[in-house]
Amino acid sequence: MRHETAHDTDYNSPQFIAKLKAKAAELGINELSSADIDPGKNRDYFIEWLGEGFHGDLDYMYKHGEKRYHPDLLVPGTVSMLTAQLHYFNPEIDAKARLEDPNHAYVAEYALGRDYHKVLRNMLTKLGKWLQEEIPGLEFRAFVDSAPVLERAFSQKSGLGFFGKNTMIIHPKRGSFFFLGELLLSKRIDIPSEPITNHCGQCTRCIKACPTDAIVSPFKIDARKCISYLTIEHFGPIPEEYRSAMGNRIFGCDDCQIVCPWNRFAIDLTTQDFFPRHKLDSSTLLELFSWTEAEFLRKTEGSPIRRLGYARWLRNIAIGIGNSPYSEENIEALKAKENFEDEAVREHVKWALEEQNEKNNRSIS
């Protein structure tokens, strides 16, 4: 990247900043701010979190070393960044009702539609190219949860929200149902803003609501207990101690966001890309468990769910079926997968069958 020069100042004028924010909005970006490249105290917090082993199998959290909290090491020449928010809250979806129906397959709201990585990164890339036309010599890199960047820390620093006790970035007027993304820049652009002070107060609703007690203390999560981690990031068998608590959650978990008081102000989604696809917001566990691998690949094309792979998809749903009320249909569906080629799937199917049979025995005793 080229470095900024002293005479490059016009792109920080109020007129240009207004033009920049208007372009971002035109591209579909809901909120835009800026930050310098110093993560401040969040660097030490992150290192401490890694030292406690709370990252689990998320090896990518530490393998890039200091690049994660020094963007100029990740992309040489970086001097500032733009931070972006893209809302995905859908008021037509009743998350609580979906969770309370044990036969329903619960997919986290962010994953019901298209893959947000691609959607927001495409918007940011277009914004970066527009900036290059406006600012000679500018170079940029767009990231959306796709590189070692402490994006929540920089979003907080840029004024897009505060860290909640569930470690999500929360805005007191917009809640937390939004995606984050960054544009690393070779020139300094400053969008006037102030960091938002913490508004959690004495509230502990997210901590109490976590099904697996993954929020081990305010502002600290043990990923190894988190249902989002277990259903999405974790390979192999899911520890038995967490299976019952998973309920019908087969991909991710929204519990800590659902109970957060600030999400009464959540902003509705503005892009159709995040509307539910293939009835993922209304399907039963048995309906999704019946998908063939070909169906899974076809129906998850362009979806964040695709990263699971078919075997882990079945693994997660088997747990949900095991947790649902006893039925002959459940038994038949599980037995059909008893000899599935993947060992982890077979183990979880066996566990689910045992859970179903135990419920049946209790009902007739």
Side-chain angles (χ1 to χ4, degrees):
M1 282 188 171
R2 301 182 184 91
H3 290 275
E4 63 178 329
T5 58
H7 65 275
D8 292 326
T9 57
D10 58 330
Y11 50 82
N12 280 306
S13 67
Q15 294 79 9
F16 183 79
I17 295 302
K19 187 178 179 182
L20 168 61
K21 296 183 78 169
K23 183 62 180 181
E26 176 189 320
L27 292 170
I29 296 170
N30 298 124
E31 308 293 339
L32 191 72
S33 192
S34 65
D36 59 33
I37 59 174
D38 179 7
K41 63 182 181 180
N42 286 303
R43 170 188 176 278
D44 297 331
Y45 178 87
F46 177 71
I47 293 173
E48 177 187 337
W49 182 77
L50 286 177
E52 293 179 274
F54 288 152
H55 60 292
D57 293 330
L58 302 176
D59 295 343
Y60 60 82
M61 285 289 190
Y62 64 82
K63 70 179 182 179
H64 295 284
E66 295 186 356
K67 289 181 179 179
R68 184 167 289 278
Y69 37 85
H70 286 302
D72 53 329
L73 296 180
L74 177 65
V75 181
T78 297
V79 299
S80 71
M81 70 176 70
L82 297 181
T83 59
Q85 281 181 0
L86 182 59
H87 304 302
Y88 67 87
F89 178 72
N90 188 334
E92 300 298 319
I93 296 175
D94 189 337
K96 290 183 179 178
R98 293 166 63 213
L99 281 171
E100 290 171 357
D101 180 354
N103 294 308
H104 180 93
Y106 189 88
V107 174
E109 189 165 333
Y110 84 85
L112 293 173
R114 288 189 58 80
D115 190 339
Y116 71 94
H117 300 86
K118 298 176 181 178
V119 175
L120 182 51
R121 188 165 58 237
N122 181 52
M123 293 176 179
L124 286 169
T125 298
K126 289 180 178 178
L127 183 62
K129 290 180 178 178
W130 176 84
L131 277 169
Q132 284 184 322
E133 295 176 357
E134 297 287 324
I135 305 173
L138 174 76
E139 294 187 29
F140 74 90
R141 289 280 297 278
F143 295 111
V144 180
D145 195 21
S146 57
V149 178
L150 290 180
E151 62 179 12
R152 294 187 189 185
F154 289 113
S155 292
Q156 182 270 336
K157 191 170 187 179
S158 72
L160 290 182
F162 62 89
F163 272 103
K165 290 178 182 175
N166 61 355
T167 75
M168 303 290 287
I169 295 297
I170 302 171
H171 193 284
K173 294 182 179 179
R174 300 194 291 269
S176 64
F177 284 97
F178 47 71
F179 303 117
L180 300 173
E182 303 79 41
L183 268 183
L184 302 192
L185 304 173
S186 64
K187 295 180 182 291
R188 188 174 186 90
I189 293 181
D190 288 314
I191 298 177
S193 66
E194 291 291 336
I196 298 172
T197 57
N198 187 277
H199 283 66
C200 285
Q202 299 302 310
C203 179
T204 56
R205 292 186 192 181
C206 61
I207 297 174
K208 294 175 181 176
C210 181
T212 55
D213 297 322
I215 308 176
V216 295
S217 64
F219 314 107
K220 186 173 292 186
I221 284 186
D222 185 345
R224 298 167 297 184
K225 297 180 179 181
C226 177
I227 291 176
S228 287
Y229 165 83
L230 292 169
T231 56
I232 301 172
E233 305 289 351
H234 182 67
F235 288 83
I238 291 176
E240 285 195 38
E241 62 195 285
Y242 303 125
R243 294 179 191 176
S244 294
M246 285 172 55
N248 61 348
R249 301 166 185 82
I250 66 167
F251 189 93
C253 179
D254 289 322
D255 290 49
C256 66
Q257 295 195 90
I258 292 171
V259 301
C260 178
W262 294 112
N263 275 323
R264 68 184 182 274
F265 303 120
I267 303 296
D268 296 356
L269 75 175
T270 55
T271 171
Q272 293 188 352
D273 286 311
F274 302 138
F275 286 165
R277 306 168 77 193
H278 305 295
K279 298 181 179 180
L280 284 172
D281 63 324
S282 59
S283 295
T284 66
L285 292 161
L286 290 181
E287 286 171 337
L288 299 186
F289 200 58
S290 70
W291 283 5
T292 64
E293 184 168 14
E295 285 180 292
F296 171 81
L297 293 174
R298 176 171 58 83
K299 292 181 178 181
T300 61
E301 184 176 1
S303 161
I305 296 174
R306 171 66 79 87
R307 63 182 295 197
L308 270 186
Y310 185 54
R312 288 196 292 159
W313 173 250
L314 294 179
R315 176 200 67 179
N316 295 348
I317 301 174
I319 292 177
I321 295 174
N323 288 328
S324 66
Y326 170 82
S327 74
E328 285 295 331
E329 291 81 4
N330 285 342
I331 297 295
E332 291 174 8
L334 290 167
K335 285 187 173 180
K337 298 284 196 303
E338 275 188 303
N339 297 315
F340 191 80
E341 59 188 13
D342 183 86
E343 182 179 354
V345 172
R346 295 197 303 271
E347 177 187 332
H348 289 73
V349 165
K350 179 182 177 182
W351 177 87
L353 281 168
E354 291 172 351
E355 292 292 305
Q356 284 286 297
N357 287 325
E358 184 177 338
K359 290 174 183 177
N360 185 40
N361 291 336
R362 286 200 302 265
S363 68
I364 60 179
S365 61

